[in-house]
Amino acid sequence: MLILSFESSCDETAVAVTENGRRVLSDAIDSQVALHAVYGGVVPELASRRHAEMIAPLAERALADAGVARSDIDAVAVTAAPGLIGALLVGVNFAKSAALALDVPIIPVHHVRGHIAANYIAHPDLEPPFTALAVSGGNTLLVDVRGYTDMRILGSTRDDAAGECFDKTARVLGLPYPGGAQLEALARGGDASKYILPRSHVASNPLDMSFSGLKTAVVNIAHNADQKGEELDRASLAAAVCSAVCDTIVPRAMAALDATGNGTLAVGGGVAANSYLRAALEEACRKRGARLFIAPLSLCGDNAAMIGCQGYYEYLAGVRADLSLNAYATMDIDSLTF
Ligand code: KG4
């Protein structure tokens, strides 16, 4: 089954062709990083405009790269939630037009389900049930994946996502948007023990996370140093941020494995590219004998192949939308209301 899939939830426009879920025939991406970097963050209106400019040429490219004709496409899949509403609407409306023109079904896909599905593409032997950690710029979730489309939230962030925390603290350290990868590079030369940063706990659900206190602590340290005329050890502060994020996420991921009783953790999303987090998860899983799957760097960030992959499993489960499909800025991963 060939699926033409679309992703436009934030600052990447992407179109892919996948076969039977896990085989990627093409994955065309236009990253808007340079466009938004000037403003220090994503400007939603600019993102929507660029999606609108890029989506048709990318669809042509995805079909050409895959070597398939329009008439070969069996279904269209699209990220319909969560994300920036204007950005999502570009993908949803284009996908609806494509489905109408090609006379094929349309499958709405939850973006974070896509991040989890990136692991199916990379790891042929991964099948539910497993526990998933989705860590990206907009979401930080621990999920009990009982089946390809049967999921329960175990824990989530109460405020900022881990990626947002990286991006905001990177900005305080003078790094350009999106700062996560550059903060990681800066941290290489630092001493994480030089700055003491908070590790928050959410009493009502030990698997929930919070990153806003960490962000505020970094802002305060930088302002204090500035006011006192002291030089900030940026590398050590960056290292302390990486360490605090790992200390927040990794024990909860292990507790999530305890809660589900399954011995497999799959990790996806842009922040899964962080080598400190990858190493800490590897170490923790090795100690407890759990199997660990992490999406490869090429599939950590937003892409349409992961949407086509999850779309395939949603299709098998009977998920369909019609031309009244809307986009939703927020939606829980375990209770889809498309
Ligand atoms: O998955 P993604 O491309 O977009 C969303 O769905 O949100 O994730 C983007 C996020 C950004 O916050 C970016 O700074 C972060 O992933 N990121 C990283 C690294 N690479 C990307 N954060 C920490 N370390 C990295 N190496």
Side-chain angles (χ1 to χ4, degrees), residues 82-93:
L84 299 172
I85 192 66
L88 285 166
L89 278 167
V90 175
V92 166
N93 283 317

Side-chain angles (χ1 to χ4, degrees), residues 8-96:
S8 68
S9 64
C10 188
D11 58 350
E12 265 94 23
T13 325
V15 186
V17 178
T18 48
E19 185 178 34
N20 297 333
R22 298 190 182 221
R23 187 159 170 250
V24 180
L25 302 188
S26 65
D27 194 4
I29 300 181
D30 175 65
S31 167
Q32 304 179 357
V33 162
L35 177 69
H36 301 293
V38 193
Y39 304 96
V42 177
V43 182
E45 178 60 23
L46 293 182
S48 308
R49 281 170 190 237
R50 179 65 75 88
H51 287 310
E53 283 162 17
M54 294 308 298
I55 198 158
L58 282 173
E60 296 293 351
R61 198 164 96 208
L63 289 167
D65 289 353
V68 302
R70 292 171 197 203
S71 54
D72 296 329
I73 297 298
D74 299 301
V76 162
V78 61
T79 303
L84 299 172
I85 192 66
L88 285 166
L89 278 167
V90 175
V92 166
N93 283 317
F94 194 90
K96 287 198 286 190

Side-chain angles (χ1 to χ4, degrees), residues 111-327:
H111 179 73
V112 185
R113 287 190 176 200
H115 275 307
I116 295 171
N119 281 284
Y120 300 138
I121 296 170
H123 309 293
D125 48 336
L126 176 65
E127 283 177 12
F130 58 87
T131 302
L133 166 65
V135 268
S136 68
N139 301 276
T140 303
L141 278 180
L142 283 161
V143 185
D144 179 11
V145 182
R146 299 178 180 186
Y148 285 103
T149 59
D150 180 10
M151 306 184 191
R152 301 283 183 284
I153 297 176
L154 297 165
S156 63
T157 179
R158 290 289 180 100
D159 38 57
D160 299 333
E164 196 181 339
C165 175
F166 272 122
D167 291 342
K168 296 277 162 58
T169 52
R171 188 151 79 175
V172 173
L173 295 173
L175 299 168
Y177 175 86
Q182 298 193 47
L183 184 138
E184 178 190 337
L186 179 65
R188 295 263 154 248
D191 169 10
S193 65
K194 189 160 173 187
Y195 292 101
I196 295 165
L197 294 174
R199 275 82 170 143
S200 54
H201 297 273
V202 179
S204 55
N205 179 4
L207 294 185
D208 275 354
M209 293 159 267
S210 164
F211 295 99
S212 68
L214 172 57
K215 197 175 73 181
T216 307
V218 172
V219 171
N220 287 342
I221 288 170
H223 282 172
N224 275 339
D226 194 33
Q227 280 165 359
K228 291 180 187 159
E230 290 169 4
E231 197 177 328
L232 195 64
D233 180 348
R234 292 166 65 249
S236 294
L237 190 49
V241 170
C242 289
S243 171
V245 170
C246 291
D247 286 352
T248 303
I249 293 175
V250 177
R252 285 170 180 79
M254 297 306 114
L257 285 172
D258 288 336
T260 57
N262 60 47
T264 305
L265 181 70
V267 188
V271 178
N274 186 277
S275 63
Y276 289 94
L277 182 61
R278 293 171 92 94
L281 287 168
E282 270 159 25
E283 171 71 5
C285 285
R286 191 187 52 73
K287 273 193 189 145
R288 58 181 288 139
R291 289 200 312 164
L292 175 66
F293 296 88
I294 309 186
L297 294 190
S298 58
L299 289 168
C300 281
D302 289 348
N303 63 86
M306 67 185 195
I307 302 303
C309 179
Q310 182 62 26
Y312 174 73
Y313 292 108
E314 301 285 348
Y315 180 86
L316 294 184
V319 175
R320 306 281 187 281
D322 60 25
L323 295 179
S324 68
L325 175 65
N326 206 345

